[in-house]
Amino acid sequence: RKEVEQDPGPFNVPEGATVAFNCTYSNSASQSFFWYRQDCRKEPKLLMSVYSSGNEDGRFTAQLNRASQYISLLIRDSKLSDSATYLCVVTPTDSWGKLQFGAGTQVVVTP
Amino acid sequence: GAVVSQHPSWVICKSGTSVKIECRSLDFQATTMFWYRQFPKQSLMLMATSNEGSKATYEQGVEKDKFLINHASLTLSTLTVTSAHPEDSSFYICSARSFGQNSSPLHFGNGTRLTVT
């Protein structure tokens, strides 16, 4: 089993709709969680950190479920510019700095 | 905010030549930088951890003699792909984190797209 798993998609989403997807992690001692966005042929860029209580940043909402060991990302009112691959990133406590990456979930927002 | 600069963005080289990629932290000191490789439609794969003033730590399956890493200062790490072959063609990305901030996110360089002909 991979340490961090994501549904690769693609999730085809009509503009204005809501899309949500999860990321599961295997190490229960994982410490920090992040969602990154990666556009085609570009480097990943931080979208948001994920806090224990859940957090929201504009149209984006992230949740953490430690009991079930997954994090989620919800995008409301999808824009065409939201089309990208969303990477789930996890930091295990026993490996400073060595983030573990999911393979990414591709989101395609259509007009 | 923190910025990591990577150079060059694109490089095309002939098989057998060596290519050096630079990764700089522009407004913070990074005792540790990370080098990743990403093939099309695949996830980022950590190649090695670059430590300032000491030897890099390589992940299993990554040849240290082929991918030379030098981290001579707190703001610069370099990755040299020696005797490059077409199978080394990939997207190479570096990242860094501000010293002492284990829970902070990584900042990525803009990546280097290497094509070996």
Side-chain angles (χ1 to χ4, degrees):
Chain A
R1 182 187 173 188
K2 294 181 181 178
E3 292 168 323
V4 179
E5 292 199 66
Q6 293 183 251
D7 183 338
F11 285 67
N12 294 298
V13 186
E15 194 174 7
T18 296
V19 61
F21 42 88
N22 295 339
C23 163
T24 59
Y25 59 94
S26 61
N27 186 346
S28 60
S30 296
Q31 183 182 57
S32 305
F33 308 87
F34 309 95
W35 282 107
Y36 280 78
R37 169 196 171 127
Q38 186 174 25
D39 293 296
C40 186
R41 303 170 77 86
K42 295 287 184 65
E43 77 280 14
K45 293 187 177 179
L46 179 66
L47 179 65
M48 59 196 301
S49 302
V50 185
Y51 303 123
S52 298
S53 56
N55 48 299
E56 188 175 303
D57 183 0
R59 298 180 293 106
F60 298 85
T61 301
Q63 296 280 351
L64 167 62
N65 186 317
R66 284 195 182 273
S68 300
Q69 295 182 202
Y70 72 86
I71 64 172
S72 64
L73 181 66
L74 181 145
I75 307 173
R76 286 188 302 277
D77 187 22
S78 298
K79 311 292 185 190
L80 296 177
S81 57
D82 294 333
S83 297
T85 296
Y86 291 85
L87 301 175
C88 165
V89 181
V90 175
T91 303
T93 55
D94 59 348
S95 185
W96 189 92
K98 291 178 69 172
L99 303 190
Q100 296 167 331
F101 291 83
T105 295
Q106 185 182 7
V107 172
V108 179
V109 182
T110 56
Chain B
V3 177
V4 175
S5 173
Q6 192 172 337
H7 178 81
S9 297
W10 294 82
V11 59
I12 301 174
C13 70
K14 292 185 177 180
S15 185
T17 61
S18 296
V19 175
K20 179 185 282 188
I21 303 169
E22 292 186 350
C23 180
R24 293 180 185 273
S25 57
L26 296 185
D27 59 0
F28 67 98
Q29 293 183 333
T31 55
T32 302
M33 292 185 177
F34 304 93
W35 288 96
Y36 304 84
R37 180 167 52 182
Q38 186 177 35
F39 293 105
K41 298 186 179 181
Q42 294 187 24
S43 181
L44 287 168
M45 295 297 296
L46 179 65
M47 298 176 66
T49 302
S50 171
N51 305 297
E52 187 269 335
S54 64
K55 292 182 179 180
T57 304
Y58 290 81
E59 295 300 300
Q60 190 173 11
V62 179
E63 300 174 56
K64 64 177 71 174
D65 294 330
K66 180 168 182 62
F67 299 98
L68 300 179
I69 291 174
N70 184 281
H71 195 152
S73 76
L74 286 171
T75 59
L76 174 64
S77 175
T78 61
L79 169 69
T80 301
V81 183
T82 62
S83 187
H85 292 288
E87 57 265 30
D88 297 324
S89 298
S90 187
F91 189 46
Y92 293 85
I93 309 175
C94 71
S95 69
R97 178 184 267 163
S98 300
F99 176 69
Q101 296 186 15
N102 188 27
S103 60
S104 66
L106 284 179
H107 299 280
F108 288 88
N110 50 297
T112 297
R113 194 159 300 281
L114 170 64
T115 301
V116 183
T117 61

